[in-house]
Amino acid sequence: MLPRGRPRALGAAALLLLLLLIGFFLFRGDLDYERPRPRGAAAFDGDPPADPGGHNGSDCILPRPRPPKCELLQVAIVCAGHNSSRDVITLVKSMLFYRKNPLHLHLVTDAVARNILETLFHTWMVPAVRISFYNADELKPQVSWIPNKHYSGLYGLMKLVLPSALPPDLARVIVLDTDVTFASNIAELWALFAHFSDKQVIGLVENQSDWYLGNLWRNHRPWPALGRGFNTGVILLRLDRLRQAGWEQMWKLTATRELLTLPATSLADQDIFNAIIKEHPWLVQPLPCVWNVQLSDHTLAERCYSEASDLKVIHWNSPKKLRVKNKHVESFRNLYLTFLEYDGNLLRRELFGCPRPPPPGAEHLQRALAQLDEEDACFEFRRQQLTVHRVHITFLPHKPPPPQPHDVTLVAQLSMDRVQMLEALCRHWPGPMSLALYLTDAEAQQFLRFVETSVVLSARQDVAYHVVYREGPLYPINQLRNVALAQALTPYVFLSDIDFLPAYSLYDYLRASIKQLELGSGRKAALVVPAFETLHYRFSFPSSKAELLALLDAGSLHTFRYHEWPRGHAPTDYARWREAQAPYHVQWAADYEPYVVVPRDCPRYDPRFAGFGWNKVAHVVELDAQEYELLVLPEAFVIHLPHAPSLDISRFRSSPTYRDCLQALKDEFHQDLHNQQACAKRAR
């Protein structure tokens, strides 16, 4: 006979056991889902069994990795052309925003992208970021034999050759498409290498559309893939193991075999990666799908996340890009636009606790800045001279004109408040232009939209726009001119300002004059284009010199700055110009600042002069010091249109300190010029 309390205890135990069993059956799926795979375990043992959601295991939740402290992270990106270069910059901004580790970016580029990105990263000067470039043209023969229908063309196949293209001592690398945006620290992605087994060489996220299931439309024949297949927008590559496994032979044999029955790749490298994984499933380590949330058509991306904080990497892998349809696309778009317009200067922050060699030139700049006296009334000027502005050359697609021996590029600079001048300028000047724009990151995107929606501007492929990102209180006018001048590709340049419209015939007339005067024979000459101005906002532009003289006599036109600064253009001798039939010589005089046509290799502008005042004058002084003859062209003219004064001009006129600092810069300039001339005499 049992003790009296035993049945009650047994009943309670039975009830507890029943509750545990009920809980087990209710939550078994979640427990299985969150159970981490043992470290080093293979991802596949043959084809995985299909689950109700059609997953192949890439959305399993691995243990949260610890980002390695100060480890150098290796990242590879394939990039070609102007538009792709802009995408890379936005991607890099998102990486830099969250990163706590030094980065080494391996950029496989064409000549256009390399020119853009090399200049940008050199002037960006981000600490603890190293850049290496690889020539995509040298890699093209390795993939050019593969027919590819994807819009990325040959460049979409180049991830296949990364193991041989990247340095042989590079063991691991993260490979990224240009259309991804980070929402987390990239070191967490790097840490997932620790989950690879001894056989696994590729980390990928499952494809989140039904593409590889082959049921999207009638006669849809995708390349072979394991289940849903994998997306190659984000890849972890064990390069050392791939080389040991004979990767080059592996992918070429697979591609050759599949192309016997398939006409071409539809998704570029992704098709070939998936065909290899289908045959060798043990090669892949499935990654949690939050590391590649794909916004393609018919996407299942919403199954990857429940909250915004879950997101790690957003992938705009649709030709529609930001116009793709998704329940949460507004949130994704806002994140992308945040980095698109984010001030890149704020990303120049140091990585504390991770000592790395500073960017080239950074130590010299720091020493020079440390020597400045903040109590100096001219401190802003001194600091502006030492500012290294980020420069994004050829911000928009640009096709340079074919080489011509007497061709001329119009060179000018502007800020956002002068953008409205561009359409009129394009109508007046049919030749090539090189324009430097001083913009914030947000303004650069506004300018991009302005050009894309302008019928006049979008039709011009020979106008090169170079964005110099805004930093500091002063307008670095001569630095901007130097950027535009350095990017001119024709033998001669017309150094103008954005608020001047040239005569309709000026482009053809300048080329004819250069040929007639035989400037190509080594003659050092600056061709002066007389400048005029109107105070009328509604103005009928003269089509000839005769019409201009009539407007001048009627008082509708004036010689430029006649009322405010006659010394600036008086040496042009407008009275003589009225009657001139041939080019004539004029002598340089103090404060002369004409608009001139000179060879492309002319002296650069002195960057000390920022803001309003003496910026062009100093350049003409330099031309005279180097013995350029000044020739006024009898049929040439430009006309200044009225506009509101810039902030710097208003500040100049109202600030004695500003004028005093300008005078100090002029004195320094004259002293430096005197020293250069003395050195040149001694050398002779």
Side-chain angles (χ1 to χ4, degrees):
M1 186 174 180
L2 294 173
R4 186 176 178 184
R6 183 71 57 86
R8 186 176 298 175
L10 288 174
L15 181 60
L16 179 60
L17 179 61
L18 180 61
L19 289 174
L20 288 173
L21 287 172
I22 292 173
F24 174 77
F25 285 110
L26 284 176
F27 300 107
R28 179 177 56 182
D30 290 341
L31 291 171
D32 288 342
Y33 183 80
E34 294 183 4
R35 184 182 298 121
R37 178 179 291 119
R39 182 173 178 175
F44 295 101
D45 294 314
D47 289 351
D51 63 85
H55 291 266
N56 63 14
S58 69
D59 56 352
C60 63
I61 298 179
L62 300 174
R64 184 173 180 85
R66 289 188 176 183
K69 175 69 174 177
C70 293
E71 183 176 354
L72 179 63
L73 311 186
Q74 310 284 347
V75 180
I77 304 170
V78 178
C79 171
H82 301 85
N83 295 334
S84 184
S85 299
R86 290 201 309 273
D87 292 338
V88 165
I89 296 165
T90 307
L91 162 60
V92 170
K93 280 184 182 180
S94 69
M95 281 195 292
L96 294 177
F97 184 83
Y98 296 104
R99 66 107 181 211
K100 297 180 180 178
N101 288 67
L103 298 175
H104 187 170
L105 304 183
H106 302 267
L107 303 178
V108 179
T109 62
D110 64 351
V112 169
R114 173 161 186 166
N115 193 30
I116 294 169
L117 296 174
E118 205 165 32
T119 302
L120 180 88
F121 283 110
H122 176 72
T123 54
W124 200 348
M125 301 182 74
V126 181
V129 174
R130 181 181 172 189
I131 311 293
S132 296
F133 287 94
Y134 306 84
N135 189 348
D137 290 335
E138 295 178 357
L139 304 177
K140 282 182 179 179
Q142 299 184 50
V143 294
S144 59
W145 57 275
I146 303 173
N148 179 28
K149 294 188 293 185
H150 194 258
Y151 57 81
S152 59
L154 283 180
Y155 299 99
L157 295 163
M158 286 190 179
K159 294 177 198 168
L160 295 166
V161 302
L162 288 178
S164 59
L166 297 178
D169 59 343
L170 188 61
R172 295 180 291 173
V173 70
I174 297 172
V175 185
L176 302 172
D177 278 358
T178 59
D179 57 355
V180 303
T181 305
F182 272 80
S184 61
N185 187 349
I186 191 174
E188 296 179 25
L189 176 60
W190 180 266
L192 295 179
F193 275 115
H195 297 286
F196 280 42
S197 71
D198 294 339
K199 294 182 179 180
Q200 291 169 338
V201 296
I202 306 171
L204 292 167
V205 170
E206 182 184 62
N207 199 47
Q208 290 154 24
S209 77
D210 290 343
W211 178 269
Y212 287 110
L213 299 181
N215 56 6
L216 292 183
W217 58 79
R218 187 178 179 183
N219 298 325
H220 175 216
R221 289 187 61 207
W223 279 53
L226 195 64
R228 289 191 175 277
F230 293 89
N231 184 277
T232 57
V234 177
I235 315 176
L236 301 186
L237 286 184
R238 283 297 304 258
L239 297 172
D240 50 353
R241 295 179 184 175
L242 284 169
R243 297 182 188 112
Q244 293 171 5
W247 170 254
E248 183 174 353
Q249 182 181 13
M250 184 186 299
W251 75 258
K252 286 183 178 179
L253 286 174
T254 301
T256 302
R257 183 184 66 245
E258 297 301 332
L259 286 169
L260 294 175
T261 56
L262 292 164
T265 60
S266 296
L267 302 182
D269 66 89
Q270 183 169 302
D271 284 338
I272 298 175
F273 270 102
N274 274 288
I276 293 170
I277 292 169
K278 174 72 173 179
E279 188 174 358
H280 309 287
W282 56 85
L283 294 176
V284 71
Q285 164 65 59
L287 303 180
C289 65
V290 292
W291 286 106
N292 186 351
V293 177
Q294 302 148 34
L295 301 182
S296 57
D297 294 330
H298 312 292
T299 183
L300 300 174
E302 294 171 17
R303 300 170 62 176
C304 285
Y305 56 88
S306 58
E307 298 179 6
S309 58
D310 298 336
L311 297 172
K312 301 295 185 182
V313 175
I314 298 170
H315 186 188
W316 304 91
N317 62 321
S318 166
K320 299 176 184 177
K321 299 305 179 187
L322 298 188
R323 300 188 305 276
V324 73
K325 293 181 180 179
N326 178 278
K327 184 192 297 184
H328 307 107
V329 73
E330 286 300 322
S331 298
F332 299 149
R333 188 182 292 118
N334 288 338
L335 178 68
Y336 172 81
L337 293 176
T338 295
F339 292 117
L340 189 71
E341 301 185 357
Y342 191 82
D343 184 354
N345 298 325
L346 301 178
L347 298 168
R348 287 170 165 167
R349 57 179 181 263
E350 297 283 347
L351 288 183
F352 295 106
C354 295
R356 285 276 161 179
E363 288 183 311
H364 173 75
L365 281 174
Q366 290 298 328
R367 286 195 298 268
L369 286 167
Q371 293 173 1
L372 296 181
D373 180 7
E374 294 188 17
E375 301 300 323
D376 182 1
C378 301
F379 173 74
E380 287 184 358
F381 279 90
R382 309 294 184 193
R383 184 173 59 179
Q384 188 75 50
Q385 295 168 27
L386 297 174
T387 300
V388 179
H389 294 273
R390 284 180 297 135
V391 178
H392 186 150
I393 60 174
T394 52
F395 186 72
L396 290 169
H398 173 243
K399 293 182 180 178
Q404 299 180 33
H406 308 111
D407 207 0
V408 186
T409 295
L410 187 150
V411 171
Q413 45 69 41
L414 65 153
S415 54
M416 198 66 186
D417 59 344
R418 298 286 185 266
V419 165
Q420 73 278 1
M421 299 290 300
L422 290 176
E423 289 186 340
L425 183 60
C426 282
R427 293 188 180 100
H428 279 251
W429 181 270
M433 287 187 270
S434 181
L435 306 175
L437 298 97
Y438 194 50
L439 307 173
T440 64
D441 293 74
E443 287 174 340
Q445 300 310 312
Q446 296 173 29
F447 171 72
L448 175 62
R449 292 189 289 271
F450 176 78
V451 173
E452 290 176 342
T453 55
S454 167
V455 175
V456 175
L457 300 183
S458 61
R460 292 289 297 269
Q461 295 290 301
D462 58 350
V463 180
Y465 302 102
H466 317 292
V467 174
V468 178
Y469 287 101
R470 185 181 290 273
E471 186 174 6
L474 299 176
Y475 186 78
I477 186 166
N478 278 358
Q479 291 188 42
L480 296 172
R481 287 177 171 140
N482 285 340
V483 168
L485 180 54
Q487 298 305 317
L489 301 176
T490 57
Y492 300 91
V493 289
F494 172 36
L495 305 178
S496 183
D497 275 334
I498 198 65
D499 44 10
F500 281 83
L501 289 182
Y504 286 107
S505 60
L506 185 61
Y507 175 59
D508 291 332
Y509 176 62
L510 290 179
R511 292 186 296 168
S513 299
I514 290 168
K515 182 178 180 180
Q516 179 185 3
L517 295 168
E518 298 181 342
L519 297 190
S521 61
R523 182 180 183 183
K524 293 178 70 173
L527 307 182
V528 176
V529 177
F532 299 85
E533 68 178 340
T534 179
L535 303 179
H536 301 289
Y537 283 90
R538 293 186 177 182
F539 175 69
S540 179
F541 200 91
S543 61
S544 65
K545 179 178 178 178
E547 287 187 16
L548 181 141
L549 292 176
L551 292 170
L552 197 63
D553 292 337
S556 298
L557 278 181
H558 306 277
T559 57
F560 186 56
R561 293 284 185 258
Y562 173 76
H563 301 292
E564 298 176 354
W565 185 245
R567 297 170 61 183
H569 292 265
T572 298
D573 194 350
Y574 287 95
R576 183 177 179 182
W577 182 81
R578 294 179 68 104
E579 309 297 331
Q581 301 295 318
Y584 59 91
H585 285 87
V586 294
Q587 295 298 316
W588 172 84
D591 298 322
Y592 191 30
E593 52 177 2
Y595 295 96
V596 295
V597 177
V598 288
R600 182 178 59 189
D601 61 354
C602 68
R604 284 347 189 209
Y605 288 86
D606 193 309
R608 282 177 290 197
F609 295 96
F612 177 78
W614 231 67
N615 42 75
K616 289 194 303 293
V617 174
H619 187 245
V620 178
V621 170
E622 185 71 29
L623 292 176
D624 180 68
Q626 295 197 20
E627 301 179 343
Y628 277 72
E629 55 181 319
L630 297 171
L631 286 168
V632 180
L633 297 177
E635 300 294 328
F637 62 87
V638 291
I639 299 177
H640 179 267
L641 301 184
H643 57 75
S646 68
L647 177 63
D648 279 325
I649 293 178
S650 303
R651 185 179 182 184
F652 173 80
R653 289 172 176 166
S654 62
S655 171
T657 302
Y658 199 110
R659 292 195 294 270
D660 292 343
C661 293
L662 181 59
Q663 184 59 52
L665 292 177
K666 290 164 65 174
D667 294 342
E668 290 178 13
F669 171 82
H670 283 301
Q671 184 61 49
D672 290 347
L673 187 64
H674 174 75
N675 294 340
Q676 291 172 12
Q677 291 174 326
C679 290
K681 286 182 179 179
R682 286 196 296 270
R684 288 197 294 268

